[in-house]
């Protein structure tokens, strides 16, 4: 259930290990429907994809965008200040990712059925295994209390938007308004379009009037607040001219990821706050580990038990870090009055476990010549990693970063 990254990649991975599996993927939406804009990932996910299925990995790579460096812009009472992080990453539009995975699944003989709503799992055809990949609000999971589901809703309202401002780096922009701080983090998704996730405290949200459902001026207000960062470009909602769709993050945990012959993967099993940027990677790894367990163990229950033991142990520290990250942004007022460099450093260490020299490297990164040197080193690193996993020249992500 669910033709997102977790469901489709499980189908691909299981078919690759045993072409005799008969797999049907049901999704309630039509093929072109997807929510969210772009997803972010790093070289570690590319390594996993190329090891598991080089064919779909090459397509994912070719349709991805490379971004370099991270900027933290703070517009407060002291005017505009900018701090910098090093590093690089990749992003791909969610629709492009799902298109690649759905095509690959169909190529392997998976039956992908869209527009198929299932109100009750009992109405599904008989099967040896039911994989619940139907998201954080999983209907399949919700039909059984045996999973021990716990959902903790975050404090801050946020909204996923797009913008026709083509950012070249990963940009955090923090703006002080009459009602308090509001911010976005943005990154390139496809040619000419960037993902832009706006977040603020409940007090700011209410104070700006963004809590009014019929506030058709919500997009205009956000464009006015972020006019400097957007450089005159517009924000884009899911539907043209619609007001922003605000929500609060649901932090999902489960005491067990399987019950009988039903198993949870991806957001149905766990969620990680978007400020950690690991949701898609974790869903895909879930899919691979589950497929591998089913190959290793003849008995389905044994396979599910091993999958549950292995993945829940791995996810515990990741979810803890994500919860810490969510809480840091919920208490951002404690740090926002610092200068941009000190504020950015506090943001970078919010997960804990940093090396003793991390602060010195952060200070050095504020020097333009050091950033140039770091980008040069990163270029060499990317070249080495790409060659090691067998990327061809024609499959490399498009570059949007400063050294283009």
């Amino acid at each position: 259930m669910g033709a997102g990254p977790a469901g489709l990649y499980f189908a691909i991975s299981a078919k690759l290990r045993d072409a005799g599996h008969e797999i049907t993927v049901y999704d309630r939406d039509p093929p072109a429907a997807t929510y969210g804009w772009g997803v972010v990932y790093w070289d570690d996910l590319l390594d996993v994809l190329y090891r598991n299925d080089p064919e779909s990995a090459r397509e994912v790579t070719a349709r991805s965008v490379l971004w370099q460096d991270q900027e933290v812009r703070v517009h407060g009472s002291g005017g505009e200040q900018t701090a910098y992080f090093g590093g690089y990453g990749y992003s791909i539009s969610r629709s492009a990712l799902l298109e690649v995975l759905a095509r690959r699944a169909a190529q392997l003989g998976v039956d992908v059925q869209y527009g198929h709503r299932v109100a009750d799992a009992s109405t599904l055809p008989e099967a040896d295994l039911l994989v619940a990949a139907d998201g954080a609000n999983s209907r399949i999971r919700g039909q059984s209390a045996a999973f021990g589901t716990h959902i903790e809703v975050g404090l801050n309202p946020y909204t996923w938007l797009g913008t026709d401002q083509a950012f070249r780096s990963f940009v955090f922009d923090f703006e002080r308004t009459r009602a308090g701080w509001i911010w976005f983090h943005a990154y390139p998704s496809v040619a000419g379009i960037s993902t832009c996730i706006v977040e603020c405290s409940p007090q700011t949200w209410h104070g700006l009037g963004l809590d009014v459902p019929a506030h058709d001026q919500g997009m205009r207000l956000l464009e006015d607040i972020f006019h400097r960062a957007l450089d005159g470009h517009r924000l884009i909602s899911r539907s043209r001219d619609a007001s922003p769709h605000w929500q609060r993050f649901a932090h999902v945990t489960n005491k067990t990821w399987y019950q009988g012959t039903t198993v949870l993967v991806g957001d149905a099993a766990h969620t990680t706050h978007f400020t950690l940027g690991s949701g898609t990677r974790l869903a895909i790894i879930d899919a691979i580990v589950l497929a591998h367990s089913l190959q290793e163990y003849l008995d389905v229950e044994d396979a599910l038990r091993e999958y549950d033991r292995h993945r829940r142990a791995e996810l515990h520290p990741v979810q803890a870090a994500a919860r810490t990250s969510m809480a840091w942004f919920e208490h951002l007022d404690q740090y926002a009055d610092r200068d941009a460099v000190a504020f950015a450093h506090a943001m970078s260490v919010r997960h804990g476990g940093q090396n003793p020299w991390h602060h010195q490297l952060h200070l050095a990164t504020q020097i333009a010549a050091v950033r140039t040197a770091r980008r040069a080193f990163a270029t060499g690193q990317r070249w080495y990693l790409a060659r090691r996993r067998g990327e061809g020249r024609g499959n490399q992500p498009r570059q949007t970063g400063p050294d283009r």
Side-chain angles (χ1 to χ4, degrees):
M1 288 302 304
L8 289 173
Y9 208 75
F10 166 74
I12 291 168
S13 301
K15 271 288 194 180
L16 287 171
R17 285 160 176 78
D18 186 343
H21 287 315
E22 295 181 13
I23 303 175
T24 303
V25 178
Y26 295 113
D27 196 272
R28 66 181 182 179
D29 293 319
T34 183
Y35 301 108
W37 294 83
V39 295
V40 173
Y41 66 93
W42 287 266
D43 274 307
D44 58 348
L45 178 59
L46 279 181
D47 290 343
V48 169
L49 293 176
Y50 273 88
R51 283 196 300 268
N52 191 66
D53 180 32
E55 185 163 334
S56 60
R58 284 190 288 269
E59 281 200 70
V60 169
T61 304
R63 301 189 64 171
S64 295
V65 176
L66 165 72
W67 50 263
Q68 298 184 77
D69 291 345
Q70 301 177 68
E71 299 179 21
V72 180
R73 305 172 184 175
V74 181
H75 298 99
S77 56
E80 178 180 351
Q81 298 179 339
T82 303
Y84 300 91
F85 299 139
Y88 66 91
Y90 309 97
S91 56
I92 183 172
S93 73
R94 183 175 169 85
S95 59
L97 175 62
L98 296 185
E99 183 183 321
V100 168
L101 298 184
R103 184 167 55 245
R104 178 59 170 153
Q107 187 182 73
L108 292 169
V110 175
D111 182 14
V112 184
Q113 298 189 18
Y114 293 98
H116 193 113
R117 288 183 174 270
V118 176
D120 192 313
S122 64
T123 64
L124 290 169
E126 185 178 350
D128 299 307
L129 180 66
L130 173 58
V131 180
D134 50 345
N137 298 315
S138 171
R139 286 174 177 263
I140 303 299
R141 184 195 65 215
Q143 292 177 16
S144 174
F147 291 109
T149 305
H150 177 71
I151 300 177
E152 178 185 1
V153 179
L155 296 177
N156 287 354
Y158 71 95
T159 181
W160 284 77
L161 301 171
T163 174
D164 55 7
Q165 161 73 304
F167 288 105
R168 296 159 64 86
S169 301
F170 199 116
V171 175
F172 299 85
D173 184 74
F174 297 84
E175 301 281 347
R176 183 195 286 275
T177 72
R178 57 177 172 78
W181 288 93
I182 186 169
W183 58 93
F184 72 62
H185 62 265
Y187 48 88
S189 301
V190 295
I193 298 292
S194 300
T195 296
C196 185
I197 307 172
V198 180
E199 183 182 6
C200 61
S201 70
Q203 293 78 14
T204 301
W205 189 58
H206 289 297
L208 292 174
L210 294 169
D211 57 328
V212 180
H215 191 358
D216 57 358
Q217 296 298 311
M219 293 291 283
R220 179 65 61 84
L221 175 60
L222 292 178
E223 287 173 345
D224 289 343
I225 292 172
F226 295 115
H227 71 278
R228 286 171 292 197
L230 295 173
D231 195 24
H233 290 265
R234 66 191 180 107
L235 290 170
I236 309 166
S237 61
R238 291 181 190 168
S239 302
R240 187 179 297 275
D241 299 324
S243 59
H245 173 71
W246 294 91
Q247 53 191 316
R248 287 180 169 85
F249 187 81
H251 183 80
V252 176
T253 58
N254 290 279
K255 290 183 178 179
T256 179
W257 288 7
Y258 77 100
Q259 175 65 25
T261 56
T262 299
V263 62
L264 310 177
V265 295
D267 284 353
H270 53 79
T271 58
T272 54
H273 196 252
F274 52 85
T275 53
L276 199 68
S278 296
T280 299
R281 179 179 69 86
L282 296 172
I284 286 175
I285 294 174
D286 285 353
I288 294 172
V289 172
L290 177 57
H292 178 74
S293 294
L294 291 168
Q295 180 188 36
E296 291 292 304
Y297 294 88
L298 294 176
D299 183 76
V300 171
E301 185 175 356
D302 289 343
L304 299 185
R305 185 183 301 110
E306 176 60 20
Y307 160 76
D308 177 86
R309 183 195 66 79
H310 181 79
R311 285 302 287 152
R312 279 203 301 123
E314 287 187 338
L315 257 293
H316 182 74
V318 178
Q319 283 202 291
R323 181 64 188 84
T324 300
S325 182
M326 181 172 74
W328 191 91
F329 282 94
E330 289 174 346
H331 299 89
L332 181 131
D333 284 353
Q334 298 178 16
Y335 311 95
D337 286 330
R338 304 181 185 184
D339 67 82
V341 174
F343 172 76
H345 179 257
M347 188 169 73
S348 71
V349 299
R350 66 188 185 276
H351 308 126
Q354 301 296 326
N355 294 313
W357 41 263
H358 177 83
H359 186 240
Q360 285 69 35
L361 179 60
H362 175 66
L363 295 177
T365 302
Q366 309 315 307
I367 302 169
V370 174
R371 291 198 298 276
T372 300
R374 290 193 68 176
R375 283 196 296 271
F377 176 80
T379 299
Q381 182 182 36
R382 285 198 311 276
W383 182 89
Y384 167 75
L385 292 173
R387 294 301 174 272
R388 187 180 67 177
R389 59 182 168 248
E391 285 182 34
R393 287 185 177 274
N395 294 108
Q396 295 179 0
R398 289 178 289 110
Q399 294 197 23
T400 62
D403 66 347
R404 182 177 177 179

